[in-house]
Amino acid sequence: GQSLEQPSEVTAVEGAIVQINCTYQTSGFYGLSWYQQHDGGAPTFLSYNALDGLEETGRFSSFLSRSDSYGYLLLQELQMKDSASYFCAVYNQGGKLIFGQGTELSVKP
Amino acid sequence: ETGVTQTPRHLVMGMTNKKSLKCEQHLGHNAMYWYKQSAKKPLELMFVYSLEERVENNSVPSRFSPECPNSSHLFLHLHTLQPEDSALYLCASSQDLGQGRKDTQYFGPGTRLTVL
């Protein structure tokens, strides 16, 4: 089967660093993506990893280990506006994007 | 603004009504998607169109009927829905269908559907 697992909720304070993990099982793998969705808004693309290692984009970084079927999203210098749901998603062999359940991040003052 | 618009943003309908959701993308993309997002559940892929041809129908009940008249527009026709169909319906588009960064999906704001 195909599945992704990520924590349902994470809480952190402003200025802190938080890591959201994602483990996956798919029939074929072509990359791990992360999306952010604010309450009432559209999911927006954050990052994509096709190869092992760390990709950095400003305050956000994403990591992939294909051998471990594992990735994470790292958010640094947290701001209140980072409070949102974060979804990991994988492309499987059919080119279909499979989403995780989402992690609700709450950033406190 | 992601370049993908959806109308209406909110819709309340009875189980016997017929309504349509509209999606338009201004990005010149070739692939378009319908997703269903229910509370506390992952986004569920419903339909995929590539170059106006349906390439995926994810075991969706026939009371949902998609239509893609051209590569910029996508519709979801609804009839005799059930209360459990109440959800956020999201449209997305990508440059092409397949794998990789070029297939990053851009989502519209969604239509919040309530079935009474």
Side-chain angles (χ1 to χ4, degrees), chain B residues 4-11 19-26 32-34 65 67 69-70 72-78 89-92 108-112:
Chain B
V4 181
T5 58
Q6 290 186 244
T7 55
R9 294 293 308 275
H10 300 272
L11 178 62
K19 296 287 184 183
S20 295
L21 309 185
K22 179 182 176 182
C23 175
E24 183 173 0
Q25 57 97 358
H26 312 273
M32 296 187 77
Y33 312 77
W34 279 116
S65 175
E67 178 190 1
N70 55 62
S72 299
H73 294 86
L74 186 64
F75 294 89
L76 187 63
H77 303 299
L78 317 171
Y89 288 85
L90 291 159
C91 172
T111 296
R112 175 70 62 183

PDB file of all heavy atoms in Angstrom, chain B residues 4-11 19-26 32-34 65 67 69-70 72-78 89-92 108-112:
ATOM      1  N   VAL B   4      -4.417  30.227  -9.888  1.00  0.00           N
ATOM      2  CA  VAL B   4      -5.527  29.287 -10.029  1.00  0.00           C
ATOM      3  C   VAL B   4      -6.715  29.862  -9.248  1.00  0.00           C
ATOM      4  O   VAL B   4      -6.589  30.124  -8.057  1.00  0.00           O
ATOM      5  CB  VAL B   4      -5.167  27.893  -9.471  1.00  0.00           C
ATOM      6  CG1 VAL B   4      -6.339  26.927  -9.653  1.00  0.00           C
ATOM      7  CG2 VAL B   4      -3.913  27.353 -10.155  1.00  0.00           C
ATOM      8  N   THR B   5      -7.819  30.060  -9.932  1.00  0.00           N
ATOM      9  CA  THR B   5      -9.005  30.617  -9.286  1.00  0.00           C
ATOM     10  C   THR B   5     -10.126  29.582  -9.271  1.00  0.00           C
ATOM     11  O   THR B   5     -10.216  28.737 -10.179  1.00  0.00           O
ATOM     12  CB  THR B   5      -9.499  31.883 -10.014  1.00  0.00           C
ATOM     13  OG1 THR B   5      -9.789  31.552 -11.384  1.00  0.00           O
ATOM     14  CG2 THR B   5      -8.441  32.975  -9.982  1.00  0.00           C
ATOM     15  N   GLN B   6     -10.952  29.666  -8.245  1.00  0.00           N
ATOM     16  CA  GLN B   6     -12.081  28.748  -8.110  1.00  0.00           C
ATOM     17  C   GLN B   6     -13.332  29.533  -7.728  1.00  0.00           C
ATOM     18  O   GLN B   6     -13.247  30.456  -6.916  1.00  0.00           O
ATOM     19  CB  GLN B   6     -11.828  27.690  -7.023  1.00  0.00           C
ATOM     20  CG  GLN B   6     -10.776  26.681  -7.393  1.00  0.00           C
ATOM     21  CD  GLN B   6     -10.656  25.584  -6.368  1.00  0.00           C
ATOM     22  OE1 GLN B   6      -9.623  25.426  -5.720  1.00  0.00           O
ATOM     23  NE2 GLN B   6     -11.721  24.798  -6.211  1.00  0.00           N
ATOM     24  N   THR B   7     -14.441  29.150  -8.311  1.00  0.00           N
ATOM     25  CA  THR B   7     -15.729  29.726  -7.947  1.00  0.00           C
ATOM     26  C   THR B   7     -16.779  28.626  -7.889  1.00  0.00           C
ATOM     27  O   THR B   7     -16.692  27.636  -8.632  1.00  0.00           O
ATOM     28  CB  THR B   7     -16.182  30.790  -8.984  1.00  0.00           C
ATOM     29  OG1 THR B   7     -16.179  30.194 -10.289  1.00  0.00           O
ATOM     30  CG2 THR B   7     -15.287  32.005  -8.952  1.00  0.00           C
ATOM     31  N   PRO B   8     -17.750  28.763  -6.993  1.00  0.00           N
ATOM     32  CA  PRO B   8     -17.802  29.749  -5.919  1.00  0.00           C
ATOM     33  C   PRO B   8     -16.841  29.388  -4.791  1.00  0.00           C
ATOM     34  O   PRO B   8     -16.307  28.288  -4.760  1.00  0.00           O
ATOM     35  CB  PRO B   8     -19.264  29.647  -5.450  1.00  0.00           C
ATOM     36  CG  PRO B   8     -19.617  28.208  -5.680  1.00  0.00           C
ATOM     37  CD  PRO B   8     -18.889  27.809  -6.938  1.00  0.00           C
ATOM     38  N   ARG B   9     -16.634  30.298  -3.868  1.00  0.00           N
ATOM     39  CA  ARG B   9     -15.778  29.990  -2.730  1.00  0.00           C
ATOM     40  C   ARG B   9     -16.545  29.207  -1.666  1.00  0.00           C
ATOM     41  O   ARG B   9     -15.963  28.414  -0.922  1.00  0.00           O
ATOM     42  CB  ARG B   9     -15.236  31.281  -2.121  1.00  0.00           C
ATOM     43  CG  ARG B   9     -14.289  32.044  -3.033  1.00  0.00           C
ATOM     44  CD  ARG B   9     -12.981  31.268  -3.277  1.00  0.00           C
ATOM     45  NE  ARG B   9     -12.361  30.844  -2.038  1.00  0.00           N
ATOM     46  CZ  ARG B   9     -11.550  31.601  -1.310  1.00  0.00           C
ATOM     47  NH1 ARG B   9     -11.263  32.819  -1.703  1.00  0.00           N
ATOM     48  NH2 ARG B   9     -11.017  31.138  -0.188  1.00  0.00           N
ATOM     49  N   HIS B  10     -17.837  29.456  -1.590  1.00  0.00           N
ATOM     50  CA  HIS B  10     -18.689  28.738  -0.635  1.00  0.00           C
ATOM     51  C   HIS B  10     -19.952  28.305  -1.366  1.00  0.00           C
ATOM     52  O   HIS B  10     -20.479  29.048  -2.199  1.00  0.00           O
ATOM     53  CB  HIS B  10     -19.061  29.629   0.551  1.00  0.00           C
ATOM     54  CG  HIS B  10     -17.879  30.111   1.320  1.00  0.00           C
ATOM     55  ND1 HIS B  10     -17.320  29.397   2.356  1.00  0.00           N
ATOM     56  CD2 HIS B  10     -17.133  31.234   1.200  1.00  0.00           C
ATOM     57  CE1 HIS B  10     -16.285  30.060   2.852  1.00  0.00           C
ATOM     58  NE2 HIS B  10     -16.143  31.170   2.166  1.00  0.00           N
ATOM     59  N   LEU B  11     -20.432  27.118  -1.021  1.00  0.00           N
ATOM     60  CA  LEU B  11     -21.648  26.601  -1.656  1.00  0.00           C
ATOM     61  C   LEU B  11     -22.405  25.741  -0.659  1.00  0.00           C
ATOM     62  O   LEU B  11     -21.823  24.848  -0.042  1.00  0.00           O
ATOM     63  CB  LEU B  11     -21.283  25.779  -2.892  1.00  0.00           C
ATOM     64  CG  LEU B  11     -22.433  25.125  -3.660  1.00  0.00           C
ATOM     65  CD1 LEU B  11     -23.377  26.183  -4.209  1.00  0.00           C
ATOM     66  CD2 LEU B  11     -21.895  24.262  -4.801  1.00  0.00           C
ATOM     67  N   LYS B  19     -25.317  21.344  -9.001  1.00  0.00           N
ATOM     68  CA  LYS B  19     -24.473  22.535  -9.032  1.00  0.00           C
ATOM     69  C   LYS B  19     -23.150  22.178  -9.711  1.00  0.00           C
ATOM     70  O   LYS B  19     -22.825  21.006  -9.886  1.00  0.00           O
ATOM     71  CB  LYS B  19     -24.183  23.036  -7.618  1.00  0.00           C
ATOM     72  CG  LYS B  19     -25.403  23.506  -6.840  1.00  0.00           C
ATOM     73  CD  LYS B  19     -25.903  24.840  -7.350  1.00  0.00           C
ATOM     74  CE  LYS B  19     -27.073  25.329  -6.488  1.00  0.00           C
ATOM     75  NZ  LYS B  19     -27.637  26.597  -6.999  1.00  0.00           N
ATOM     76  N   SER B  20     -22.394  23.212 -10.055  1.00  0.00           N
ATOM     77  CA  SER B  20     -21.077  22.989 -10.660  1.00  0.00           C
ATOM     78  C   SER B  20     -20.037  23.863 -10.001  1.00  0.00           C
ATOM     79  O   SER B  20     -20.309  25.019  -9.678  1.00  0.00           O
ATOM     80  CB  SER B  20     -21.124  23.296 -12.158  1.00  0.00           C
ATOM     81  OG  SER B  20     -21.964  22.392 -12.836  1.00  0.00           O
ATOM     82  N   LEU B  21     -18.859  23.307  -9.817  1.00  0.00           N
ATOM     83  CA  LEU B  21     -17.701  24.059  -9.346  1.00  0.00           C
ATOM     84  C   LEU B  21     -16.833  24.370 -10.553  1.00  0.00           C
ATOM     85  O   LEU B  21     -16.671  23.541 -11.446  1.00  0.00           O
ATOM     86  CB  LEU B  21     -16.902  23.250  -8.334  1.00  0.00           C
ATOM     87  CG  LEU B  21     -17.665  22.632  -7.163  1.00  0.00           C
ATOM     88  CD1 LEU B  21     -16.687  21.965  -6.193  1.00  0.00           C
ATOM     89  CD2 LEU B  21     -18.531  23.651  -6.468  1.00  0.00           C
ATOM     90  N   LYS B  22     -16.247  25.574 -10.525  1.00  0.00           N
ATOM     91  CA  LYS B  22     -15.423  25.991 -11.659  1.00  0.00           C
ATOM     92  C   LYS B  22     -14.004  26.289 -11.201  1.00  0.00           C
ATOM     93  O   LYS B  22     -13.795  26.851 -10.133  1.00  0.00           O
ATOM     94  CB  LYS B  22     -16.019  27.238 -12.307  1.00  0.00           C
ATOM     95  CG  LYS B  22     -15.221  27.780 -13.493  1.00  0.00           C
ATOM     96  CD  LYS B  22     -15.852  29.046 -14.039  1.00  0.00           C
ATOM     97  CE  LYS B  22     -15.004  29.656 -15.160  1.00  0.00           C
ATOM     98  NZ  LYS B  22     -15.582  30.923 -15.667  1.00  0.00           N
ATOM     99  N   CYS B  23     -13.060  25.914 -12.033  1.00  0.00           N
ATOM    100  CA  CYS B  23     -11.652  26.202 -11.781  1.00  0.00           C
ATOM    101  C   CYS B  23     -11.038  26.753 -13.060  1.00  0.00           C
ATOM    102  O   CYS B  23     -11.311  26.248 -14.160  1.00  0.00           O
ATOM    103  CB  CYS B  23     -10.936  24.924 -11.357  1.00  0.00           C
ATOM    104  SG  CYS B  23      -9.149  25.103 -11.160  1.00  0.00           S
ATOM    105  N   GLU B  24     -10.204  27.778 -12.902  1.00  0.00           N
ATOM    106  CA  GLU B  24      -9.515  28.340 -14.055  1.00  0.00           C
ATOM    107  C   GLU B  24      -8.061  28.590 -13.676  1.00  0.00           C
ATOM    108  O   GLU B  24      -7.778  29.125 -12.614  1.00  0.00           O
ATOM    109  CB  GLU B  24     -10.181  29.655 -14.485  1.00  0.00           C
ATOM    110  CG  GLU B  24      -9.573  30.272 -15.733  1.00  0.00           C
ATOM    111  CD  GLU B  24     -10.358  31.490 -16.228  1.00  0.00           C
ATOM    112  OE1 GLU B  24     -11.366  31.847 -15.604  1.00  0.00           O
ATOM    113  OE2 GLU B  24      -9.946  32.062 -17.251  1.00  0.00           O
ATOM    114  N   GLN B  25      -7.142  28.186 -14.550  1.00  0.00           N
ATOM    115  CA  GLN B  25      -5.734  28.447 -14.283  1.00  0.00           C
ATOM    116  C   GLN B  25      -5.173  29.355 -15.370  1.00  0.00           C
ATOM    117  O   GLN B  25      -5.476  29.199 -16.553  1.00  0.00           O
ATOM    118  CB  GLN B  25      -4.929  27.146 -14.125  1.00  0.00           C
ATOM    119  CG  GLN B  25      -4.983  26.194 -15.303  1.00  0.00           C
ATOM    120  CD  GLN B  25      -3.815  26.297 -16.252  1.00  0.00           C
ATOM    121  OE1 GLN B  25      -2.918  27.133 -16.080  1.00  0.00           O
ATOM    122  NE2 GLN B  25      -3.804  25.442 -17.264  1.00  0.00           N
ATOM    123  N   HIS B  26      -4.354  30.319 -14.916  1.00  0.00           N
ATOM    124  CA  HIS B  26      -3.785  31.330 -15.808  1.00  0.00           C
ATOM    125  C   HIS B  26      -2.280  31.145 -15.953  1.00  0.00           C
ATOM    126  O   HIS B  26      -1.535  32.098 -16.128  1.00  0.00           O
ATOM    127  CB  HIS B  26      -4.078  32.722 -15.235  1.00  0.00           C
ATOM    128  CG  HIS B  26      -5.507  32.916 -14.835  1.00  0.00           C
ATOM    129  ND1 HIS B  26      -6.478  33.340 -15.713  1.00  0.00           N
ATOM    130  CD2 HIS B  26      -6.140  32.728 -13.641  1.00  0.00           C
ATOM    131  CE1 HIS B  26      -7.639  33.414 -15.077  1.00  0.00           C
ATOM    132  NE2 HIS B  26      -7.471  33.048 -13.832  1.00  0.00           N
ATOM    133  N   MET B  32      -4.437  19.361 -14.842  1.00  0.00           N
ATOM    134  CA  MET B  32      -5.317  19.927 -13.824  1.00  0.00           C
ATOM    135  C   MET B  32      -5.899  18.796 -12.980  1.00  0.00           C
ATOM    136  O   MET B  32      -6.060  17.663 -13.435  1.00  0.00           O
ATOM    137  CB  MET B  32      -6.443  20.752 -14.458  1.00  0.00           C
ATOM    138  CG  MET B  32      -5.923  21.980 -15.201  1.00  0.00           C
ATOM    139  SD  MET B  32      -7.224  23.070 -15.785  1.00  0.00           S
ATOM    140  CE  MET B  32      -7.689  23.914 -14.260  1.00  0.00           C
ATOM    141  N   TYR B  33      -6.213  19.139 -11.731  1.00  0.00           N
ATOM    142  CA  TYR B  33      -6.592  18.132 -10.735  1.00  0.00           C
ATOM    143  C   TYR B  33      -7.764  18.623  -9.885  1.00  0.00           C
ATOM    144  O   TYR B  33      -7.884  19.819  -9.608  1.00  0.00           O
ATOM    145  CB  TYR B  33      -5.416  17.867  -9.775  1.00  0.00           C
ATOM    146  CG  TYR B  33      -4.071  17.636 -10.415  1.00  0.00           C
ATOM    147  CD1 TYR B  33      -3.318  18.693 -10.915  1.00  0.00           C
ATOM    148  CD2 TYR B  33      -3.538  16.354 -10.499  1.00  0.00           C
ATOM    149  CE1 TYR B  33      -2.075  18.495 -11.498  1.00  0.00           C
ATOM    150  CE2 TYR B  33      -2.289  16.138 -11.076  1.00  0.00           C
ATOM    151  CZ  TYR B  33      -1.575  17.210 -11.566  1.00  0.00           C
ATOM    152  OH  TYR B  33      -0.333  16.993 -12.136  1.00  0.00           O
ATOM    153  N   TRP B  34      -8.575  17.681  -9.436  1.00  0.00           N
ATOM    154  CA  TRP B  34      -9.554  17.940  -8.379  1.00  0.00           C
ATOM    155  C   TRP B  34      -9.173  17.116  -7.155  1.00  0.00           C
ATOM    156  O   TRP B  34      -8.907  15.908  -7.270  1.00  0.00           O
ATOM    157  CB  TRP B  34     -10.974  17.548  -8.791  1.00  0.00           C
ATOM    158  CG  TRP B  34     -11.699  18.536  -9.630  1.00  0.00           C
ATOM    159  CD1 TRP B  34     -12.141  18.385 -10.907  1.00  0.00           C
ATOM    160  CD2 TRP B  34     -12.111  19.862  -9.243  1.00  0.00           C
ATOM    161  NE1 TRP B  34     -12.780  19.519 -11.346  1.00  0.00           N
ATOM    162  CE2 TRP B  34     -12.790  20.444 -10.348  1.00  0.00           C
ATOM    163  CE3 TRP B  34     -11.983  20.625  -8.080  1.00  0.00           C
ATOM    164  CZ2 TRP B  34     -13.318  21.729 -10.325  1.00  0.00           C
ATOM    165  CZ3 TRP B  34     -12.507  21.912  -8.049  1.00  0.00           C
ATOM    166  CH2 TRP B  34     -13.176  22.450  -9.164  1.00  0.00           C
ATOM    167  N   SER B  65     -19.013  14.551 -11.403  1.00  0.00           N
ATOM    168  CA  SER B  65     -18.725  14.402 -12.826  1.00  0.00           C
ATOM    169  C   SER B  65     -17.821  15.532 -13.280  1.00  0.00           C
ATOM    170  O   SER B  65     -18.232  16.695 -13.285  1.00  0.00           O
ATOM    171  CB  SER B  65     -20.036  14.428 -13.622  1.00  0.00           C
ATOM    172  OG  SER B  65     -19.782  14.411 -14.989  1.00  0.00           O
ATOM    173  N   GLU B  67     -15.382  17.832 -15.907  1.00  0.00           N
ATOM    174  CA  GLU B  67     -15.386  18.236 -17.309  1.00  0.00           C
ATOM    175  C   GLU B  67     -14.206  19.167 -17.524  1.00  0.00           C
ATOM    176  O   GLU B  67     -13.979  20.074 -16.725  1.00  0.00           O
ATOM    177  CB  GLU B  67     -16.688  18.960 -17.666  1.00  0.00           C
ATOM    178  CG  GLU B  67     -16.742  19.453 -19.109  1.00  0.00           C
ATOM    179  CD  GLU B  67     -17.931  20.366 -19.379  1.00  0.00           C
ATOM    180  OE1 GLU B  67     -18.702  20.637 -18.437  1.00  0.00           O
ATOM    181  OE2 GLU B  67     -18.059  20.840 -20.523  1.00  0.00           O
ATOM    182  N   PRO B  69     -13.100  21.365 -20.613  1.00  0.00           N
ATOM    183  CA  PRO B  69     -13.335  21.790 -22.008  1.00  0.00           C
ATOM    184  C   PRO B  69     -12.076  22.285 -22.711  1.00  0.00           C
ATOM    185  O   PRO B  69     -11.999  22.230 -23.944  1.00  0.00           O
ATOM    186  CB  PRO B  69     -14.359  22.921 -21.848  1.00  0.00           C
ATOM    187  CG  PRO B  69     -14.158  23.429 -20.459  1.00  0.00           C
ATOM    188  CD  PRO B  69     -13.736  22.255 -19.640  1.00  0.00           C
ATOM    189  N   ASN B  70     -11.116  22.771 -21.944  1.00  0.00           N
ATOM    190  CA  ASN B  70      -9.835  23.202 -22.515  1.00  0.00           C
ATOM    191  C   ASN B  70      -8.796  23.175 -21.405  1.00  0.00           C
ATOM    192  O   ASN B  70      -9.138  22.953 -20.238  1.00  0.00           O
ATOM    193  CB  ASN B  70      -9.939  24.597 -23.150  1.00  0.00           C
ATOM    194  CG  ASN B  70     -10.467  25.637 -22.186  1.00  0.00           C
ATOM    195  OD1 ASN B  70      -9.842  25.909 -21.174  1.00  0.00           O
ATOM    196  ND2 ASN B  70     -11.627  26.199 -22.503  1.00  0.00           N
ATOM    197  N   SER B  72      -7.327  25.314 -19.754  1.00  0.00           N
ATOM    198  CA  SER B  72      -7.364  26.356 -18.721  1.00  0.00           C
ATOM    199  C   SER B  72      -8.541  26.207 -17.764  1.00  0.00           C
ATOM    200  O   SER B  72      -8.561  26.860 -16.727  1.00  0.00           O
ATOM    201  CB  SER B  72      -7.442  27.742 -19.363  1.00  0.00           C
ATOM    202  OG  SER B  72      -6.323  27.992 -20.153  1.00  0.00           O
ATOM    203  N   HIS B  73      -9.513  25.420 -18.133  1.00  0.00           N
ATOM    204  CA  HIS B  73     -10.736  25.330 -17.345  1.00  0.00           C
ATOM    205  C   HIS B  73     -11.053  23.893 -16.935  1.00  0.00           C
ATOM    206  O   HIS B  73     -10.874  22.963 -17.708  1.00  0.00           O
ATOM    207  CB  HIS B  73     -11.932  25.885 -18.138  1.00  0.00           C
ATOM    208  CG  HIS B  73     -11.853  27.351 -18.400  1.00  0.00           C
ATOM    209  ND1 HIS B  73     -11.179  27.870 -19.488  1.00  0.00           N
ATOM    210  CD2 HIS B  73     -12.336  28.407 -17.691  1.00  0.00           C
ATOM    211  CE1 HIS B  73     -11.271  29.196 -19.442  1.00  0.00           C
ATOM    212  NE2 HIS B  73     -11.952  29.538 -18.381  1.00  0.00           N
ATOM    213  N   LEU B  74     -11.556  23.786 -15.722  1.00  0.00           N
ATOM    214  CA  LEU B  74     -11.948  22.482 -15.187  1.00  0.00           C
ATOM    215  C   LEU B  74     -13.217  22.680 -14.373  1.00  0.00           C
ATOM    216  O   LEU B  74     -13.312  23.638 -13.599  1.00  0.00           O
ATOM    217  CB  LEU B  74     -10.832  21.919 -14.300  1.00  0.00           C
ATOM    218  CG  LEU B  74     -10.986  20.510 -13.765  1.00  0.00           C
ATOM    219  CD1 LEU B  74     -10.986  19.492 -14.895  1.00  0.00           C
ATOM    220  CD2 LEU B  74      -9.854  20.200 -12.779  1.00  0.00           C
ATOM    221  N   PHE B  75     -14.174  21.793 -14.570  1.00  0.00           N
ATOM    222  CA  PHE B  75     -15.426  21.870 -13.839  1.00  0.00           C
ATOM    223  C   PHE B  75     -15.629  20.575 -13.048  1.00  0.00           C
ATOM    224  O   PHE B  75     -15.128  19.516 -13.418  1.00  0.00           O
ATOM    225  CB  PHE B  75     -16.615  22.055 -14.798  1.00  0.00           C
ATOM    226  CG  PHE B  75     -16.612  23.366 -15.523  1.00  0.00           C
ATOM    227  CD1 PHE B  75     -15.967  23.510 -16.747  1.00  0.00           C
ATOM    228  CD2 PHE B  75     -17.263  24.471 -14.998  1.00  0.00           C
ATOM    229  CE1 PHE B  75     -15.953  24.710 -17.427  1.00  0.00           C
ATOM    230  CE2 PHE B  75     -17.262  25.685 -15.663  1.00  0.00           C
ATOM    231  CZ  PHE B  75     -16.606  25.807 -16.886  1.00  0.00           C
ATOM    232  N   LEU B  76     -16.392  20.699 -11.978  1.00  0.00           N
ATOM    233  CA  LEU B  76     -16.842  19.518 -11.250  1.00  0.00           C
ATOM    234  C   LEU B  76     -18.349  19.654 -11.074  1.00  0.00           C
ATOM    235  O   LEU B  76     -18.810  20.541 -10.351  1.00  0.00           O
ATOM    236  CB  LEU B  76     -16.143  19.407  -9.892  1.00  0.00           C
ATOM    237  CG  LEU B  76     -16.401  18.129  -9.114  1.00  0.00           C
ATOM    238  CD1 LEU B  76     -15.878  16.909  -9.878  1.00  0.00           C
ATOM    239  CD2 LEU B  76     -15.741  18.192  -7.731  1.00  0.00           C
ATOM    240  N   HIS B  77     -19.081  18.816 -11.783  1.00  0.00           N
ATOM    241  CA  HIS B  77     -20.533  18.858 -11.733  1.00  0.00           C
ATOM    242  C   HIS B  77     -21.023  17.943 -10.609  1.00  0.00           C
ATOM    243  O   HIS B  77     -20.550  16.799 -10.478  1.00  0.00           O
ATOM    244  CB  HIS B  77     -21.129  18.408 -13.074  1.00  0.00           C
ATOM    245  CG  HIS B  77     -20.647  19.221 -14.242  1.00  0.00           C
ATOM    246  ND1 HIS B  77     -20.860  20.582 -14.342  1.00  0.00           N
ATOM    247  CD2 HIS B  77     -19.940  18.870 -15.336  1.00  0.00           C
ATOM    248  CE1 HIS B  77     -20.323  21.034 -15.463  1.00  0.00           C
ATOM    249  NE2 HIS B  77     -19.749  20.019 -16.087  1.00  0.00           N
ATOM    250  N   LEU B  78     -21.930  18.480  -9.819  1.00  0.00           N
ATOM    251  CA  LEU B  78     -22.395  17.784  -8.622  1.00  0.00           C
ATOM    252  C   LEU B  78     -23.889  17.514  -8.716  1.00  0.00           C
ATOM    253  O   LEU B  78     -24.652  18.414  -9.098  1.00  0.00           O
ATOM    254  CB  LEU B  78     -22.137  18.648  -7.384  1.00  0.00           C
ATOM    255  CG  LEU B  78     -20.780  19.352  -7.294  1.00  0.00           C
ATOM    256  CD1 LEU B  78     -20.775  20.337  -6.126  1.00  0.00           C
ATOM    257  CD2 LEU B  78     -19.671  18.333  -7.152  1.00  0.00           C
ATOM    258  N   TYR B  89     -13.226  21.510  -1.632  1.00  0.00           N
ATOM    259  CA  TYR B  89     -12.832  20.936  -2.918  1.00  0.00           C
ATOM    260  C   TYR B  89     -11.790  21.860  -3.543  1.00  0.00           C
ATOM    261  O   TYR B  89     -12.052  23.034  -3.810  1.00  0.00           O
ATOM    262  CB  TYR B  89     -14.050  20.733  -3.821  1.00  0.00           C
ATOM    263  CG  TYR B  89     -14.892  19.585  -3.318  1.00  0.00           C
ATOM    264  CD1 TYR B  89     -15.843  19.796  -2.326  1.00  0.00           C
ATOM    265  CD2 TYR B  89     -14.690  18.295  -3.781  1.00  0.00           C
ATOM    266  CE1 TYR B  89     -16.582  18.730  -1.807  1.00  0.00           C
ATOM    267  CE2 TYR B  89     -15.416  17.230  -3.282  1.00  0.00           C
ATOM    268  CZ  TYR B  89     -16.354  17.455  -2.289  1.00  0.00           C
ATOM    269  OH  TYR B  89     -17.078  16.396  -1.773  1.00  0.00           O
ATOM    270  N   LEU B  90     -10.632  21.292  -3.768  1.00  0.00           N
ATOM    271  CA  LEU B  90      -9.495  22.062  -4.257  1.00  0.00           C
ATOM    272  C   LEU B  90      -9.167  21.674  -5.690  1.00  0.00           C
ATOM    273  O   LEU B  90      -9.144  20.496  -6.046  1.00  0.00           O
ATOM    274  CB  LEU B  90      -8.261  21.805  -3.384  1.00  0.00           C
ATOM    275  CG  LEU B  90      -8.316  22.367  -1.974  1.00  0.00           C
ATOM    276  CD1 LEU B  90      -7.333  21.647  -1.067  1.00  0.00           C
ATOM    277  CD2 LEU B  90      -8.018  23.859  -1.992  1.00  0.00           C
ATOM    278  N   CYS B  91      -8.889  22.680  -6.468  1.00  0.00           N
ATOM    279  CA  CYS B  91      -8.411  22.475  -7.831  1.00  0.00           C
ATOM    280  C   CYS B  91      -6.917  22.801  -7.851  1.00  0.00           C
ATOM    281  O   CYS B  91      -6.462  23.671  -7.096  1.00  0.00           O
ATOM    282  CB  CYS B  91      -9.168  23.404  -8.773  1.00  0.00           C
ATOM    283  SG  CYS B  91      -8.565  23.448 -10.469  1.00  0.00           S
ATOM    284  N   ALA B  92      -6.166  22.115  -8.659  1.00  0.00           N
ATOM    285  CA  ALA B  92      -4.737  22.393  -8.796  1.00  0.00           C
ATOM    286  C   ALA B  92      -4.333  22.220 -10.246  1.00  0.00           C
ATOM    287  O   ALA B  92      -5.024  21.553 -11.029  1.00  0.00           O
ATOM    288  CB  ALA B  92      -3.914  21.469  -7.902  1.00  0.00           C
ATOM    289  N   GLY B 108      -5.751  26.216  -6.149  1.00  0.00           N
ATOM    290  CA  GLY B 108      -6.693  27.305  -5.984  1.00  0.00           C
ATOM    291  C   GLY B 108      -7.136  27.394  -4.534  1.00  0.00           C
ATOM    292  O   GLY B 108      -6.777  26.538  -3.716  1.00  0.00           O
ATOM    293  N   PRO B 109      -7.927  28.412  -4.195  1.00  0.00           N
ATOM    294  CA  PRO B 109      -8.343  28.618  -2.800  1.00  0.00           C
ATOM    295  C   PRO B 109      -9.403  27.635  -2.330  1.00  0.00           C
ATOM    296  O   PRO B 109      -9.670  27.548  -1.131  1.00  0.00           O
ATOM    297  CB  PRO B 109      -8.899  30.041  -2.804  1.00  0.00           C
ATOM    298  CG  PRO B 109      -9.354  30.244  -4.218  1.00  0.00           C
ATOM    299  CD  PRO B 109      -8.406  29.475  -5.081  1.00  0.00           C
ATOM    300  N   GLY B 110     -10.017  26.907  -3.245  1.00  0.00           N
ATOM    301  CA  GLY B 110     -10.989  25.892  -2.856  1.00  0.00           C
ATOM    302  C   GLY B 110     -12.419  26.407  -2.805  1.00  0.00           C
ATOM    303  O   GLY B 110     -12.674  27.609  -2.730  1.00  0.00           O
ATOM    304  N   THR B 111     -13.335  25.477  -2.873  1.00  0.00           N
ATOM    305  CA  THR B 111     -14.758  25.735  -2.664  1.00  0.00           C
ATOM    306  C   THR B 111     -15.188  24.964  -1.438  1.00  0.00           C
ATOM    307  O   THR B 111     -15.037  23.739  -1.381  1.00  0.00           O
ATOM    308  CB  THR B 111     -15.609  25.270  -3.867  1.00  0.00           C
ATOM    309  OG1 THR B 111     -15.271  26.033  -5.023  1.00  0.00           O
ATOM    310  CG2 THR B 111     -17.101  25.424  -3.563  1.00  0.00           C
ATOM    311  N   ARG B 112     -15.686  25.701  -0.445  1.00  0.00           N
ATOM    312  CA  ARG B 112     -16.187  25.053   0.777  1.00  0.00           C
ATOM    313  C   ARG B 112     -17.624  24.627   0.513  1.00  0.00           C
ATOM    314  O   ARG B 112     -18.502  25.463   0.372  1.00  0.00           O
ATOM    315  CB  ARG B 112     -16.114  26.022   1.940  1.00  0.00           C
ATOM    316  CG  ARG B 112     -16.718  25.510   3.244  1.00  0.00           C
ATOM    317  CD  ARG B 112     -15.899  24.404   3.855  1.00  0.00           C
ATOM    318  NE  ARG B 112     -14.553  24.814   4.224  1.00  0.00           N
ATOM    319  CZ  ARG B 112     -13.630  23.997   4.718  1.00  0.00           C
ATOM    320  NH1 ARG B 112     -13.907  22.720   4.874  1.00  0.00           N
ATOM    321  NH2 ARG B 112     -12.443  24.455   5.024  1.00  0.00           N
TER     322      ARG B 112
END
